[in-house]
Amino acid sequence: MSRNTETLTVEIVEQQATFTLREICERGDCHAELVLKMVSYGIIEPVEALEHEEVRNWEFDLTALLRLQKAMRLQRDLKMNLPGLAMSLELLDEVDTMRREIGRLRQQLDQFSQNQDRD
């Protein structure tokens, strides 16, 4: 009987940390060319990149790194192309936003119901 074992590695990163193009490629396990294409499709964005700034000077924040990692998983697992990744991530963001809004509205409804019960 064989048993598959999988090791999970967790890296704790400071919320305000920024990453160079090289670092985001290493942490995202991808080539710089793919990162550049993802930037061009709006999948990830460098931190305050100026128009004339050289690509090699770009920096990325933790949000970009996490989004890159999510995009890489989608691409690997679902074999998505870059336009598909961009659209899927946008839809996933909208779903997250709606879930937060539903949670907030439920909380308000609960508070309203509790106030009504007291009256």
Side-chain angles (χ1 to χ4, degrees):
M1 195 176 194
S2 69
R3 211 161 108 183
N4 291 341
T5 59
E6 191 173 312
T7 303
L8 178 63
T9 304
V10 177
E11 180 180 2
I12 299 175
V13 179
E14 189 177 320
Q15 186 70 29
Q16 272 69 26
T18 58
F19 309 95
T20 63
L21 179 59
R22 181 183 193 140
E23 290 170 331
I24 202 166
C25 289
E26 289 171 358
R27 287 181 164 91
D29 195 26
C30 62
H31 296 284
E33 182 179 321
L34 182 58
V35 171
L36 299 178
K37 286 181 181 177
M38 286 188 180
V39 169
S40 72
Y41 278 96
I43 295 170
I44 62 171
E45 293 180 6
V47 178
E48 300 178 16
L50 304 174
E51 282 186 39
H52 62 279
E53 186 175 18
E54 290 187 39
V55 171
R56 66 179 178 192
N57 293 330
W58 283 357
E59 290 190 341
F60 298 87
D61 60 11
L62 183 58
T63 302
L65 173 61
L66 296 174
R67 193 167 175 89
L68 172 66
Q69 291 171 336
K70 183 187 280 189
M72 294 302 294
R73 282 192 307 274
L74 285 171
Q75 189 176 43
R76 180 191 65 231
D77 296 346
L78 302 176
K79 310 289 188 245
M80 295 182 123
N81 61 17
L82 292 176
L85 280 173
M87 183 180 289
S88 296
L89 288 167
E90 186 176 320
L91 291 171
L92 288 170
D93 289 344
E94 286 183 31
V95 168
D96 287 343
T97 300
M98 286 188 273
R99 285 182 176 158
R100 281 193 301 277
E101 181 68 13
I102 288 170
R104 188 182 64 75
L105 291 171
R106 282 186 177 150
Q107 191 175 33
Q108 286 178 347
L109 182 61
D110 288 345
Q111 289 173 351
F112 179 75
S113 295
Q114 289 172 2
N115 290 339
Q116 292 297 318
D117 290 343
R118 288 185 208 147
D119 293 338

